[in-house]
Amino acid sequence: MAKPYDPTTGEGGETQQIGRGDTPKLTTNHGAPISDNQNSLRAGTRGPTLLEDFILREKIFHFDHERIPERIVHARGSVAHGYFECSDPIPELSRASLFAKKGKRTEVIVRFSTVAGGAGSVDTPRDVRGFATKFYTDEGNWDLVGNNIPVFFIQDALKFPDLVHSVKMEADRGFPQAASAHDTFWDFVSLMPETLHTVLWAMSDRGIPRSYRMMEGFGIHTFKLVNAEGVESFVKFHWRPRLGTQSLVWDESAKLQGADNDYHRRDLWEAIAAGDYPEYDLAIQSFDAALADSLPYDVLDATKIIPEKDVPLRVIGRMVLDRNPDNHFAENEQLAFLPSNVVPGIDFSDDPLLQGRLFSYLDTQKSRLGTTNFHQIPVNAPKCPYANMMRDGMMQTQIPKGRANYEPNSLDEAGEDPGPRPSADGFRSAPQPVEGEKLRIRSETFADHYSQPRMFWKSQTENEQAHIASAITFELSKVALDHIRLRVLSQLRNVDEALAERVAKGLALDLPKAAPPAKEPIDLEPSAALSIQKRWNATLQGRKVGILFDEGSHKSALETLIKSVKDAGGTPFTIAPKVGGLTLQGGEMKADGQLAGSPSWLFDGVALVLAEDAARRLAQDSAAVGFVADAYAHLKAIGHDEGAMALLDRAGVKPDAGVVDLAKLPKAATLRYWDREASLRDLA
Ligand code: HDD
């Protein structure tokens, strides 16, 4: 074996090579092989480092420049690769190739994100979540850059910088990070009633999703579909998770920020690594201009939904996410979405928010990725052939041949390659007549800011309403300026008097007068589709069960439970005070996690498989008592054997439908026990 490098003698060093066997040799970026990756070049063994050391300088230089500017919004995100498969072709509506044939697959990459926090912030704050999909179609990339909430805070892109400045950490103090519960956000909200609809969604349980796998996605804007004959129709896009939509409870999401900063990123990664691939149906709402004109709101207004009763959803395909990224930087940080990326068959509407986005994303990629050639980065490059006369620029990686860098040209007549030319079947904008004066004005049809928030509020269950009222009360409690709180209350009165009263009571404030509405709200019919609880998917698929055991537990009971959780599609995770081998009745067993590092916040349901002695001992251990008390407070199922009673009592668990025998746990853990809530916390 070769002698290791000896810094005192300068001898040896072959083992410093990273490459072993047939792994490649370590080299500089310019290809020179490196013999020593531990020591810089110095004069003598203890002397100064030499400027000549190109290996040191190159390595540190590259390291110093490793980071690029983070996204101004949606900085923290997680990606996954997969495919979209068309199940119900729509050639009558769109000529887009990905919707042309049943069974046709198109590669995709998806990035889920929070909005307000920085790249290193946590996964579970109350926030809107981004749901952006890049379809690598055979006629170019189509980017559907949506959110998990079907409406947006503002109606005009001109207001986006103000909205974002107000929600991000406050400019002077640099906090709070990843939170909307502060003066400037609510100041903006209180002055801009168009924000209220999205604010209500964000304050609902939608703002604290359980998992990226259990969250809906929405294209939000009305887009256009165009068929081969050039006939256009309006469309809204919806992603529906096959696992159903599920959220956390607020206390749980707050605690998760301590237990696991990467809760959603880890969940997505682990599910895909385990072959438990997240799936989403893609559904459309398509309609024509006559229907749009008949609605009591404007389909070009991104603060409005189109209720499913007005235009039902039609599922046209499904997306499967089946591959984790190989490299976070190359495939997540360098991933660039552009709502302006459309393909023949998909077009934009005149939604003024969308129109502004068409400029913003292209522009931001230049500042984030440093070059107009960001489309050449592998994760951004189309997977179909692409060619044009755009040339050069920083980080150009292509080497175009010949002289044809302008069009039209006649170089082919001299036998030279003339390069690409426009094709008759290329993208054509829908020929829409446009006329009118140049004005800075908001259409009258955008003026109703309260009817849809009211519809959303009325569509919620009692618990869901309580969560919204509590969330607004919590956020306004963090607002230090009274006049802002009062102005929010004056806006809420137009949404629903009871909501305003509940928040005012929660803040111990008198209700101010209602804000004068620009347009009187109307009562729209509530819709079950807007509630999470009314459409709860009672399944253990994708859910996790934490199983607490200790010395003396019955091994066979543990094994039976583990199997039954797996059989129901769930993931069991065993927890004990010590993770090494524990002596049980019937054998030894190791735990997956240690009690202090595995709070019940991480699980959808918990089980206690404990001998009486162990339960009595654990009743003196705050981590164990907290494990049970929090599971109970977070409305989760608790399965237990006879031995666990001392711990259950100490944690204050009262019998109810969610406190069950071990055998019933896999079924019980598919639900949350909302009826328990009123006895546990003061619901606003
Ligand atoms: Fe945006 C990123 C979603 C309005 C400007 N936006 C960004 C991302 C998502 C959304 C999911 C993250 C993309 C990724 O993962 O890389 N944005 C939306 C939705 C909107 C919306 C659903 C309204 C319906 N956005 C919006 C407006 C503007 C922007 C009105 C500006 C006029 N958004 C940006 C941006 C970002 C961005 C600054 C930051 C990073 C990026 O684009 O690539 O350009």
Side-chain angles (χ1 to χ4, degrees), residues 463 674-683:
N463 281 82
W674 307 112
D675 292 348
R676 198 186 283 165
E677 194 163 29
S679 68
L680 286 167
R681 58 183 71 97
D682 185 16
L683 290 173

Short mmCIF file of all heavy atoms in Angstrom, two decimals, residues 463 674-683:
data_model
loop_
_atom_site.label_atom_id
_atom_site.label_comp_id
_atom_site.label_asym_id
_atom_site.label_seq_id
_atom_site.Cartn_x
_atom_site.Cartn_y
_atom_site.Cartn_z
N ASN A 463 -65.47 23.73 12.80
CA ASN A 463 -64.07 23.71 13.23
C ASN A 463 -63.20 24.58 12.32
O ASN A 463 -62.34 25.31 12.78
CB ASN A 463 -63.47 22.31 13.15
CG ASN A 463 -63.88 21.49 14.30
OD1 ASN A 463 -64.96 20.94 14.27
ND2 ASN A 463 -63.05 21.42 15.32
N TRP A 674 -62.08 16.09 15.43
CA TRP A 674 -62.41 17.51 15.54
C TRP A 674 -63.30 17.79 16.74
O TRP A 674 -63.22 18.87 17.34
CB TRP A 674 -63.09 18.00 14.26
CG TRP A 674 -62.28 17.69 13.04
CD1 TRP A 674 -62.59 16.80 12.06
CD2 TRP A 674 -61.01 18.22 12.69
NE1 TRP A 674 -61.60 16.75 11.11
CE2 TRP A 674 -60.61 17.62 11.48
CE3 TRP A 674 -60.14 19.15 13.29
CZ2 TRP A 674 -59.40 17.91 10.85
CZ3 TRP A 674 -58.95 19.44 12.66
CH2 TRP A 674 -58.59 18.83 11.46
N ASP A 675 -64.16 16.80 17.11
CA ASP A 675 -65.09 17.03 18.23
C ASP A 675 -64.34 17.26 19.54
O ASP A 675 -64.86 17.85 20.47
CB ASP A 675 -66.01 15.82 18.42
CG ASP A 675 -66.96 15.66 17.26
OD1 ASP A 675 -67.03 16.62 16.46
OD2 ASP A 675 -67.57 14.58 17.13
N ARG A 676 -63.11 16.75 19.58
CA ARG A 676 -62.31 16.88 20.80
C ARG A 676 -61.87 18.33 21.02
O ARG A 676 -61.58 18.75 22.13
CB ARG A 676 -61.06 16.01 20.60
CG ARG A 676 -60.31 15.64 21.83
CD ARG A 676 -59.03 14.89 21.46
NE ARG A 676 -59.22 13.50 21.08
CZ ARG A 676 -58.28 12.78 20.45
NH1 ARG A 676 -57.10 13.34 20.13
NH2 ARG A 676 -58.50 11.53 20.14
N GLU A 677 -61.82 19.07 19.94
CA GLU A 677 -61.12 20.35 19.97
C GLU A 677 -61.71 21.36 20.96
O GLU A 677 -60.97 22.02 21.69
CB GLU A 677 -61.09 20.96 18.56
CG GLU A 677 -60.10 22.10 18.45
CD GLU A 677 -59.75 22.45 17.02
OE1 GLU A 677 -60.60 22.25 16.13
OE2 GLU A 677 -58.63 22.95 16.80
N ALA A 678 -63.05 21.42 20.98
CA ALA A 678 -63.67 22.45 21.82
C ALA A 678 -63.32 22.26 23.29
O ALA A 678 -63.29 23.23 24.06
CB ALA A 678 -65.18 22.43 21.62
N SER A 679 -63.04 21.02 23.70
CA SER A 679 -62.73 20.79 25.12
C SER A 679 -61.26 21.06 25.41
O SER A 679 -60.82 21.00 26.55
CB SER A 679 -63.06 19.33 25.49
OG SER A 679 -62.15 18.48 24.83
N LEU A 680 -60.47 21.35 24.38
CA LEU A 680 -59.03 21.48 24.57
C LEU A 680 -58.49 22.88 24.43
O LEU A 680 -57.45 23.22 24.96
CB LEU A 680 -58.31 20.61 23.53
CG LEU A 680 -58.39 19.12 23.80
CD1 LEU A 680 -57.94 18.35 22.59
CD2 LEU A 680 -57.50 18.79 24.99
N ARG A 681 -59.14 23.68 23.60
CA ARG A 681 -58.63 25.03 23.46
C ARG A 681 -59.80 25.98 23.27
O ARG A 681 -60.89 25.58 22.86
CB ARG A 681 -57.62 25.14 22.32
CG ARG A 681 -58.07 24.74 20.95
CD ARG A 681 -56.92 24.84 19.96
NE ARG A 681 -55.93 23.80 20.19
CZ ARG A 681 -55.89 22.65 19.49
NH1 ARG A 681 -56.77 22.42 18.54
NH2 ARG A 681 -54.99 21.74 19.74
N ASP A 682 -59.51 27.24 23.59
CA ASP A 682 -60.53 28.26 23.49
C ASP A 682 -60.68 28.63 22.02
O ASP A 682 -59.87 29.37 21.47
CB ASP A 682 -60.05 29.47 24.32
CG ASP A 682 -61.11 30.53 24.38
OD1 ASP A 682 -62.28 30.20 24.05
OD2 ASP A 682 -60.78 31.67 24.73
N LEU A 683 -61.68 28.04 21.37
CA LEU A 683 -61.86 28.31 19.95
C LEU A 683 -62.50 29.68 19.77
O LEU A 683 -63.54 29.95 20.36
CB LEU A 683 -62.75 27.25 19.31
CG LEU A 683 -62.12 25.86 19.19
CD1 LEU A 683 -63.14 24.87 18.70
CD2 LEU A 683 -60.92 25.90 18.26
#
